Amino acid sequence: ETYIREEMIQMLIDAEYDAYAITDFVNVSEQILDKDADLIMLDINLPNASGFEICRDIKHKSSVPVLVLTSRDEMSDELKALNLGADEYLTKPCRKERILARIANVLKRYEGRNNMLEGEGILLDRNTYTLYIESKTAPEVFLRGFAHARLFLFPVVPDVLHVVILFHDVQQ
């Protein structure tokens, strides 16, 4: 699908987006994460690894939005992609206006996410001090049953987050 890929790149450039295509399908997730993209457009049918695997890997390591654009039009495929963390699912063929509108919509939803500090499986909102572990807030994960909890953040080393949680156990 070289022609379609090149057409998509040109469409994005014409819409004033910076666009990059991965053509070497070895260690795709790592290549994507190295690019520090604002959005990932992903097909499901790829050589060496399925788009489902790549979507899951990316969403476990990053909060970057994923738009799936694929020829697979089964509801089960769409639900699987969305359950793995995809933010949008479009089927080919698709009009360029629809693709660009969905891209703009996803980017709007992710606006202001620069305040998020990411780690593997951990996301911290620096504005609200909400800690997300595997996409769940910290209280949902390990503070159930505790009446009071305080979260102290110690940025000892730049971009390295040290977390201390003090809590009072009401079950005692």
Side-chain angles (χ1 to χ4, degrees):
E1 295 187 19
T2 304
Y3 175 76
I4 293 172
R5 181 181 60 234
E6 296 305 318
E7 189 176 291
M8 294 298 298
I9 292 286
Q10 191 58 54
M11 177 192 71
L12 293 167
I13 290 170
D14 291 346
E16 299 184 3
Y17 290 106
D18 289 330
Y20 175 81
I22 290 178
T23 56
D24 175 15
F25 294 98
V26 177
N27 298 320
V28 175
S29 297
E30 289 78 16
Q31 289 183 65
I32 290 171
L33 293 172
D34 286 345
K35 293 295 176 193
D36 196 30
D38 295 313
L39 178 114
I40 297 163
M41 191 179 301
L42 180 65
D43 196 346
I44 298 299
N45 302 317
L46 298 172
N48 299 333
S50 81
F52 293 126
E53 293 170 24
I54 295 166
C55 182
R56 183 188 60 237
D57 290 347
I58 289 168
K59 286 303 200 169
H60 277 128
K61 297 174 183 173
S62 172
S63 64
V64 66
V66 174
L67 185 150
V68 173
L69 179 63
T70 184
S71 59
R72 294 174 69 157
D73 62 357
E74 294 293 321
M75 179 60 70
S76 60
D77 291 328
E78 182 173 352
L79 293 175
K80 184 175 182 178
L82 294 171
N83 286 329
L84 289 172
D87 298 277
E88 286 286 349
Y89 191 97
L90 292 171
T91 56
K92 297 184 237 176
C94 187
R95 295 182 57 91
K96 77 175 191 174
E97 296 85 3
R98 176 172 286 144
I99 295 169
L100 293 172
R102 296 289 177 94
I103 288 171
N105 189 16
V106 169
L107 291 173
K108 252 186 249 173
R109 287 196 312 250
Y110 276 77
E111 235 172 50
R113 299 273 314 241
N114 294 338
N115 63 316
M116 301 299 249
L117 180 62
E118 293 182 50
E120 191 165 331
I122 296 175
L123 190 64
L124 173 72
D125 185 329
R126 295 179 201 194
N127 289 341
T128 64
Y129 300 104
T130 303
L131 180 65
Y132 298 91
I133 300 172
E134 299 295 330
S135 301
K136 296 182 177 111
T137 63
E140 292 176 55
V141 176
F142 57 86
L143 296 179
R144 287 193 183 111
F146 296 98
H148 305 286
R150 297 192 77 178
L151 181 66
F152 296 94
L153 309 174
F154 299 99
V156 177
V157 178
D159 293 329
V160 175
L161 179 67
H162 300 273
V163 178
V164 175
I165 298 174
L166 301 176
F167 49 83
H168 170 69
D169 186 351
V170 294
Q171 297 174 349
Q172 290 181 1

PDB file of all heavy atoms in Angstrom, residues 86-113:
ATOM      1  N   ALA A  86      -7.425   2.608  21.219  1.00  0.00           N
ATOM      2  CA  ALA A  86      -7.535   3.491  20.053  1.00  0.00           C
ATOM      3  C   ALA A  86      -8.562   4.584  20.342  1.00  0.00           C
ATOM      4  O   ALA A  86      -9.581   4.343  20.984  1.00  0.00           O
ATOM      5  CB  ALA A  86      -7.943   2.695  18.815  1.00  0.00           C
ATOM      6  N   ASP A  87      -8.275   5.785  19.884  1.00  0.00           N
ATOM      7  CA  ASP A  87      -9.159   6.923  20.135  1.00  0.00           C
ATOM      8  C   ASP A  87     -10.201   7.103  19.040  1.00  0.00           C
ATOM      9  O   ASP A  87     -11.265   7.671  19.286  1.00  0.00           O
ATOM     10  CB  ASP A  87      -8.319   8.194  20.263  1.00  0.00           C
ATOM     11  CG  ASP A  87      -7.371   8.090  21.439  1.00  0.00           C
ATOM     12  OD1 ASP A  87      -7.816   8.363  22.556  1.00  0.00           O
ATOM     13  OD2 ASP A  87      -6.208   7.707  21.242  1.00  0.00           O
ATOM     14  N   GLU A  88      -9.893   6.648  17.854  1.00  0.00           N
ATOM     15  CA  GLU A  88     -10.813   6.707  16.709  1.00  0.00           C
ATOM     16  C   GLU A  88     -10.589   5.479  15.855  1.00  0.00           C
ATOM     17  O   GLU A  88      -9.499   4.903  15.847  1.00  0.00           O
ATOM     18  CB  GLU A  88     -10.569   7.955  15.853  1.00  0.00           C
ATOM     19  CG  GLU A  88     -11.061   9.250  16.446  1.00  0.00           C
ATOM     20  CD  GLU A  88     -12.574   9.421  16.404  1.00  0.00           C
ATOM     21  OE1 GLU A  88     -13.276   8.630  15.726  1.00  0.00           O
ATOM     22  OE2 GLU A  88     -13.056  10.342  17.065  1.00  0.00           O
ATOM     23  N   TYR A  89     -11.630   5.106  15.097  1.00  0.00           N
ATOM     24  CA  TYR A  89     -11.544   3.968  14.186  1.00  0.00           C
ATOM     25  C   TYR A  89     -12.275   4.351  12.914  1.00  0.00           C
ATOM     26  O   TYR A  89     -13.470   4.631  12.942  1.00  0.00           O
ATOM     27  CB  TYR A  89     -12.198   2.737  14.828  1.00  0.00           C
ATOM     28  CG  TYR A  89     -11.956   1.443  14.098  1.00  0.00           C
ATOM     29  CD1 TYR A  89     -10.950   0.590  14.505  1.00  0.00           C
ATOM     30  CD2 TYR A  89     -12.753   1.068  13.017  1.00  0.00           C
ATOM     31  CE1 TYR A  89     -10.724  -0.618  13.856  1.00  0.00           C
ATOM     32  CE2 TYR A  89     -12.535  -0.136  12.362  1.00  0.00           C
ATOM     33  CZ  TYR A  89     -11.524  -0.974  12.785  1.00  0.00           C
ATOM     34  OH  TYR A  89     -11.307  -2.175  12.142  1.00  0.00           O
ATOM     35  N   LEU A  90     -11.559   4.406  11.811  1.00  0.00           N
ATOM     36  CA  LEU A  90     -12.140   4.716  10.506  1.00  0.00           C
ATOM     37  C   LEU A  90     -11.826   3.585   9.540  1.00  0.00           C
ATOM     38  O   LEU A  90     -10.758   2.983   9.605  1.00  0.00           O
ATOM     39  CB  LEU A  90     -11.545   6.009   9.946  1.00  0.00           C
ATOM     40  CG  LEU A  90     -11.904   7.302  10.669  1.00  0.00           C
ATOM     41  CD1 LEU A  90     -11.058   8.442  10.138  1.00  0.00           C
ATOM     42  CD2 LEU A  90     -13.376   7.606  10.503  1.00  0.00           C
ATOM     43  N   THR A  91     -12.774   3.320   8.635  1.00  0.00           N
ATOM     44  CA  THR A  91     -12.533   2.286   7.633  1.00  0.00           C
ATOM     45  C   THR A  91     -12.264   2.917   6.274  1.00  0.00           C
ATOM     46  O   THR A  91     -12.807   3.961   5.936  1.00  0.00           O
ATOM     47  CB  THR A  91     -13.735   1.320   7.530  1.00  0.00           C
ATOM     48  OG1 THR A  91     -14.913   2.066   7.257  1.00  0.00           O
ATOM     49  CG2 THR A  91     -13.906   0.537   8.822  1.00  0.00           C
ATOM     50  N   LYS A  92     -11.367   2.241   5.530  1.00  0.00           N
ATOM     51  CA  LYS A  92     -11.046   2.658   4.171  1.00  0.00           C
ATOM     52  C   LYS A  92     -12.028   1.979   3.224  1.00  0.00           C
ATOM     53  O   LYS A  92     -12.431   0.854   3.497  1.00  0.00           O
ATOM     54  CB  LYS A  92      -9.628   2.214   3.787  1.00  0.00           C
ATOM     55  CG  LYS A  92      -8.521   2.795   4.597  1.00  0.00           C
ATOM     56  CD  LYS A  92      -7.185   2.333   4.036  1.00  0.00           C
ATOM     57  CE  LYS A  92      -6.366   1.629   5.063  1.00  0.00           C
ATOM     58  NZ  LYS A  92      -5.115   1.091   4.572  1.00  0.00           N
ATOM     59  N   PRO A  93     -12.342   2.611   2.143  1.00  0.00           N
ATOM     60  CA  PRO A  93     -11.933   3.961   1.755  1.00  0.00           C
ATOM     61  C   PRO A  93     -12.662   5.001   2.598  1.00  0.00           C
ATOM     62  O   PRO A  93     -13.777   4.772   3.073  1.00  0.00           O
ATOM     63  CB  PRO A  93     -12.337   4.049   0.285  1.00  0.00           C
ATOM     64  CG  PRO A  93     -13.462   3.084   0.135  1.00  0.00           C
ATOM     65  CD  PRO A  93     -13.221   1.989   1.135  1.00  0.00           C
ATOM     66  N   CYS A  94     -12.004   6.109   2.774  1.00  0.00           N
ATOM     67  CA  CYS A  94     -12.551   7.177   3.611  1.00  0.00           C
ATOM     68  C   CYS A  94     -12.187   8.515   2.971  1.00  0.00           C
ATOM     69  O   CYS A  94     -11.051   8.699   2.532  1.00  0.00           O
ATOM     70  CB  CYS A  94     -11.953   7.068   5.012  1.00  0.00           C
ATOM     71  SG  CYS A  94     -12.667   8.177   6.208  1.00  0.00           S
ATOM     72  N   ARG A  95     -13.142   9.416   2.941  1.00  0.00           N
ATOM     73  CA  ARG A  95     -12.885  10.730   2.347  1.00  0.00           C
ATOM     74  C   ARG A  95     -11.861  11.487   3.181  1.00  0.00           C
ATOM     75  O   ARG A  95     -11.859  11.397   4.401  1.00  0.00           O
ATOM     76  CB  ARG A  95     -14.173  11.531   2.239  1.00  0.00           C
ATOM     77  CG  ARG A  95     -15.187  10.903   1.285  1.00  0.00           C
ATOM     78  CD  ARG A  95     -16.437  11.741   1.167  1.00  0.00           C
ATOM     79  NE  ARG A  95     -16.149  13.096   0.733  1.00  0.00           N
ATOM     80  CZ  ARG A  95     -16.132  13.510  -0.532  1.00  0.00           C
ATOM     81  NH1 ARG A  95     -16.376  12.644  -1.490  1.00  0.00           N
ATOM     82  NH2 ARG A  95     -15.875  14.762  -0.833  1.00  0.00           N
ATOM     83  N   LYS A  96     -11.014  12.238   2.512  1.00  0.00           N
ATOM     84  CA  LYS A  96      -9.956  12.963   3.214  1.00  0.00           C
ATOM     85  C   LYS A  96     -10.526  13.980   4.203  1.00  0.00           C
ATOM     86  O   LYS A  96      -9.955  14.192   5.259  1.00  0.00           O
ATOM     87  CB  LYS A  96      -8.983  13.608   2.241  1.00  0.00           C
ATOM     88  CG  LYS A  96      -9.464  14.855   1.574  1.00  0.00           C
ATOM     89  CD  LYS A  96      -8.362  15.462   0.732  1.00  0.00           C
ATOM     90  CE  LYS A  96      -8.770  16.847   0.294  1.00  0.00           C
ATOM     91  NZ  LYS A  96      -7.720  17.554  -0.392  1.00  0.00           N
ATOM     92  N   GLU A  97     -11.686  14.563   3.881  1.00  0.00           N
ATOM     93  CA  GLU A  97     -12.298  15.531   4.797  1.00  0.00           C
ATOM     94  C   GLU A  97     -12.669  14.871   6.128  1.00  0.00           C
ATOM     95  O   GLU A  97     -12.509  15.468   7.188  1.00  0.00           O
ATOM     96  CB  GLU A  97     -13.557  16.158   4.159  1.00  0.00           C
ATOM     97  CG  GLU A  97     -13.284  16.976   2.919  1.00  0.00           C
ATOM     98  CD  GLU A  97     -13.220  16.150   1.630  1.00  0.00           C
ATOM     99  OE1 GLU A  97     -13.447  14.917   1.674  1.00  0.00           O
ATOM    100  OE2 GLU A  97     -12.934  16.751   0.581  1.00  0.00           O
ATOM    101  N   ARG A  98     -13.149  13.639   6.061  1.00  0.00           N
ATOM    102  CA  ARG A  98     -13.506  12.914   7.282  1.00  0.00           C
ATOM    103  C   ARG A  98     -12.253  12.590   8.097  1.00  0.00           C
ATOM    104  O   ARG A  98     -12.233  12.745   9.321  1.00  0.00           O
ATOM    105  CB  ARG A  98     -14.253  11.633   6.952  1.00  0.00           C
ATOM    106  CG  ARG A  98     -14.552  10.801   8.218  1.00  0.00           C
ATOM    107  CD  ARG A  98     -15.448   9.635   7.949  1.00  0.00           C
ATOM    108  NE  ARG A  98     -16.785  10.154   7.744  1.00  0.00           N
ATOM    109  CZ  ARG A  98     -17.662   9.660   6.874  1.00  0.00           C
ATOM    110  NH1 ARG A  98     -17.341   8.631   6.132  1.00  0.00           N
ATOM    111  NH2 ARG A  98     -18.850  10.188   6.755  1.00  0.00           N
ATOM    112  N   ILE A  99     -11.206  12.145   7.418  1.00  0.00           N
ATOM    113  CA  ILE A  99      -9.954  11.827   8.117  1.00  0.00           C
ATOM    114  C   ILE A  99      -9.405  13.068   8.810  1.00  0.00           C
ATOM    115  O   ILE A  99      -9.064  13.032   9.998  1.00  0.00           O
ATOM    116  CB  ILE A  99      -8.905  11.247   7.139  1.00  0.00           C
ATOM    117  CG1 ILE A  99      -9.384   9.911   6.590  1.00  0.00           C
ATOM    118  CG2 ILE A  99      -7.551  11.095   7.830  1.00  0.00           C
ATOM    119  CD1 ILE A  99      -8.563   9.393   5.421  1.00  0.00           C
ATOM    120  N   LEU A 100      -9.344  14.182   8.086  1.00  0.00           N
ATOM    121  CA  LEU A 100      -8.811  15.422   8.664  1.00  0.00           C
ATOM    122  C   LEU A 100      -9.680  15.922   9.815  1.00  0.00           C
ATOM    123  O   LEU A 100      -9.158  16.422  10.821  1.00  0.00           O
ATOM    124  CB  LEU A 100      -8.651  16.486   7.582  1.00  0.00           C
ATOM    125  CG  LEU A 100      -7.575  16.185   6.534  1.00  0.00           C
ATOM    126  CD1 LEU A 100      -7.633  17.199   5.400  1.00  0.00           C
ATOM    127  CD2 LEU A 100      -6.194  16.133   7.172  1.00  0.00           C
ATOM    128  N   ALA A 101     -10.996  15.765   9.702  1.00  0.00           N
ATOM    129  CA  ALA A 101     -11.892  16.184  10.793  1.00  0.00           C
ATOM    130  C   ALA A 101     -11.664  15.326  12.034  1.00  0.00           C
ATOM    131  O   ALA A 101     -11.625  15.833  13.161  1.00  0.00           O
ATOM    132  CB  ALA A 101     -13.347  16.091  10.338  1.00  0.00           C
ATOM    133  N   ARG A 102     -11.492  14.019  11.848  1.00  0.00           N
ATOM    134  CA  ARG A 102     -11.248  13.135  12.994  1.00  0.00           C
ATOM    135  C   ARG A 102      -9.897  13.424  13.638  1.00  0.00           C
ATOM    136  O   ARG A 102      -9.758  13.392  14.858  1.00  0.00           O
ATOM    137  CB  ARG A 102     -11.329  11.674  12.580  1.00  0.00           C
ATOM    138  CG  ARG A 102     -12.700  11.242  12.103  1.00  0.00           C
ATOM    139  CD  ARG A 102     -13.711  11.165  13.248  1.00  0.00           C
ATOM    140  NE  ARG A 102     -15.020  10.819  12.778  1.00  0.00           N
ATOM    141  CZ  ARG A 102     -15.522   9.596  12.734  1.00  0.00           C
ATOM    142  NH1 ARG A 102     -14.804   8.574  13.148  1.00  0.00           N
ATOM    143  NH2 ARG A 102     -16.731   9.387  12.287  1.00  0.00           N
ATOM    144  N   ILE A 103      -8.893  13.722  12.810  1.00  0.00           N
ATOM    145  CA  ILE A 103      -7.578  14.074  13.346  1.00  0.00           C
ATOM    146  C   ILE A 103      -7.694  15.335  14.198  1.00  0.00           C
ATOM    147  O   ILE A 103      -7.208  15.385  15.330  1.00  0.00           O
ATOM    148  CB  ILE A 103      -6.547  14.261  12.212  1.00  0.00           C
ATOM    149  CG1 ILE A 103      -6.196  12.911  11.601  1.00  0.00           C
ATOM    150  CG2 ILE A 103      -5.291  14.969  12.719  1.00  0.00           C
ATOM    151  CD1 ILE A 103      -5.364  13.005  10.331  1.00  0.00           C
ATOM    152  N   ALA A 104      -8.351  16.356  13.655  1.00  0.00           N
ATOM    153  CA  ALA A 104      -8.516  17.615  14.389  1.00  0.00           C
ATOM    154  C   ALA A 104      -9.284  17.387  15.686  1.00  0.00           C
ATOM    155  O   ALA A 104      -8.935  17.944  16.736  1.00  0.00           O
ATOM    156  CB  ALA A 104      -9.235  18.644  13.514  1.00  0.00           C
ATOM    157  N   ASN A 105     -10.306  16.541  15.639  1.00  0.00           N
ATOM    158  CA  ASN A 105     -11.107  16.246  16.827  1.00  0.00           C
ATOM    159  C   ASN A 105     -10.280  15.556  17.908  1.00  0.00           C
ATOM    160  O   ASN A 105     -10.331  15.917  19.084  1.00  0.00           O
ATOM    161  CB  ASN A 105     -12.306  15.389  16.422  1.00  0.00           C
ATOM    162  CG  ASN A 105     -13.302  15.220  17.542  1.00  0.00           C
ATOM    163  OD1 ASN A 105     -13.278  15.949  18.527  1.00  0.00           O
ATOM    164  ND2 ASN A 105     -14.187  14.266  17.395  1.00  0.00           N
ATOM    165  N   VAL A 106      -9.508  14.558  17.515  1.00  0.00           N
ATOM    166  CA  VAL A 106      -8.661  13.838  18.484  1.00  0.00           C
ATOM    167  C   VAL A 106      -7.632  14.789  19.081  1.00  0.00           C
ATOM    168  O   VAL A 106      -7.413  14.801  20.302  1.00  0.00           O
ATOM    169  CB  VAL A 106      -7.973  12.619  17.831  1.00  0.00           C
ATOM    170  CG1 VAL A 106      -6.907  12.045  18.744  1.00  0.00           C
ATOM    171  CG2 VAL A 106      -8.996  11.555  17.497  1.00  0.00           C
ATOM    172  N   LEU A 107      -6.996  15.590  18.244  1.00  0.00           N
ATOM    173  CA  LEU A 107      -5.989  16.525  18.750  1.00  0.00           C
ATOM    174  C   LEU A 107      -6.601  17.538  19.710  1.00  0.00           C
ATOM    175  O   LEU A 107      -5.973  17.909  20.707  1.00  0.00           O
ATOM    176  CB  LEU A 107      -5.278  17.224  17.589  1.00  0.00           C
ATOM    177  CG  LEU A 107      -4.368  16.318  16.751  1.00  0.00           C
ATOM    178  CD1 LEU A 107      -3.840  17.068  15.537  1.00  0.00           C
ATOM    179  CD2 LEU A 107      -3.227  15.749  17.588  1.00  0.00           C
ATOM    180  N   LYS A 108      -7.827  17.969  19.445  1.00  0.00           N
ATOM    181  CA  LYS A 108      -8.520  18.885  20.364  1.00  0.00           C
ATOM    182  C   LYS A 108      -8.754  18.229  21.724  1.00  0.00           C
ATOM    183  O   LYS A 108      -8.592  18.846  22.760  1.00  0.00           O
ATOM    184  CB  LYS A 108      -9.868  19.312  19.774  1.00  0.00           C
ATOM    185  CG  LYS A 108      -9.904  20.741  19.310  1.00  0.00           C
ATOM    186  CD  LYS A 108     -11.293  21.126  18.886  1.00  0.00           C
ATOM    187  CE  LYS A 108     -11.236  21.306  17.387  1.00  0.00           C
ATOM    188  NZ  LYS A 108     -12.510  21.526  16.761  1.00  0.00           N
ATOM    189  N   ARG A 109      -9.169  16.955  21.682  1.00  0.00           N
ATOM    190  CA  ARG A 109      -9.415  16.233  22.943  1.00  0.00           C
ATOM    191  C   ARG A 109      -8.144  16.085  23.763  1.00  0.00           C
ATOM    192  O   ARG A 109      -8.192  16.006  24.982  1.00  0.00           O
ATOM    193  CB  ARG A 109     -10.008  14.855  22.665  1.00  0.00           C
ATOM    194  CG  ARG A 109     -11.438  14.899  22.206  1.00  0.00           C
ATOM    195  CD  ARG A 109     -12.125  13.552  22.299  1.00  0.00           C
ATOM    196  NE  ARG A 109     -11.397  12.437  21.761  1.00  0.00           N
ATOM    197  CZ  ARG A 109     -11.717  11.779  20.656  1.00  0.00           C
ATOM    198  NH1 ARG A 109     -12.726  12.149  19.930  1.00  0.00           N
ATOM    199  NH2 ARG A 109     -11.010  10.735  20.280  1.00  0.00           N
ATOM    200  N   TYR A 110      -6.997  16.010  23.098  1.00  0.00           N
ATOM    201  CA  TYR A 110      -5.724  15.829  23.787  1.00  0.00           C
ATOM    202  C   TYR A 110      -5.000  17.146  24.058  1.00  0.00           C
ATOM    203  O   TYR A 110      -3.921  17.139  24.614  1.00  0.00           O
ATOM    204  CB  TYR A 110      -4.816  14.878  22.997  1.00  0.00           C
ATOM    205  CG  TYR A 110      -5.104  13.433  23.288  1.00  0.00           C
ATOM    206  CD1 TYR A 110      -6.212  12.802  22.741  1.00  0.00           C
ATOM    207  CD2 TYR A 110      -4.288  12.701  24.133  1.00  0.00           C
ATOM    208  CE1 TYR A 110      -6.485  11.474  23.016  1.00  0.00           C
ATOM    209  CE2 TYR A 110      -4.553  11.379  24.416  1.00  0.00           C
ATOM    210  CZ  TYR A 110      -5.653  10.766  23.848  1.00  0.00           C
ATOM    211  OH  TYR A 110      -5.923   9.457  24.134  1.00  0.00           O
ATOM    212  N   GLU A 111      -5.621  18.269  23.674  1.00  0.00           N
ATOM    213  CA  GLU A 111      -5.014  19.573  23.917  1.00  0.00           C
ATOM    214  C   GLU A 111      -4.767  19.755  25.410  1.00  0.00           C
ATOM    215  O   GLU A 111      -5.570  19.351  26.231  1.00  0.00           O
ATOM    216  CB  GLU A 111      -5.968  20.676  23.437  1.00  0.00           C
ATOM    217  CG  GLU A 111      -5.374  21.627  22.476  1.00  0.00           C
ATOM    218  CD  GLU A 111      -6.434  22.555  21.913  1.00  0.00           C
ATOM    219  OE1 GLU A 111      -7.196  23.146  22.690  1.00  0.00           O
ATOM    220  OE2 GLU A 111      -6.495  22.654  20.685  1.00  0.00           O
ATOM    221  N   GLY A 112      -3.691  20.390  25.765  1.00  0.00           N
ATOM    222  CA  GLY A 112      -3.411  20.635  27.178  1.00  0.00           C
ATOM    223  C   GLY A 112      -2.821  19.452  27.901  1.00  0.00           C
ATOM    224  O   GLY A 112      -2.641  19.483  29.112  1.00  0.00           O
ATOM    225  N   ARG A 113      -2.510  18.383  27.192  1.00  0.00           N
ATOM    226  CA  ARG A 113      -1.937  17.209  27.842  1.00  0.00           C
ATOM    227  C   ARG A 113      -0.444  17.372  28.100  1.00  0.00           C
ATOM    228  O   ARG A 113       0.193  16.458  28.600  1.00  0.00           O
ATOM    229  CB  ARG A 113      -2.172  15.953  26.990  1.00  0.00           C
ATOM    230  CG  ARG A 113      -3.607  15.591  26.731  1.00  0.00           C
ATOM    231  CD  ARG A 113      -4.295  14.739  27.744  1.00  0.00           C
ATOM    232  NE  ARG A 113      -3.619  13.611  28.239  1.00  0.00           N
ATOM    233  CZ  ARG A 113      -4.014  12.361  28.133  1.00  0.00           C
ATOM    234  NH1 ARG A 113      -5.089  12.081  27.468  1.00  0.00           N
ATOM    235  NH2 ARG A 113      -3.349  11.391  28.699  1.00  0.00           N
TER     236      ARG A 113
END
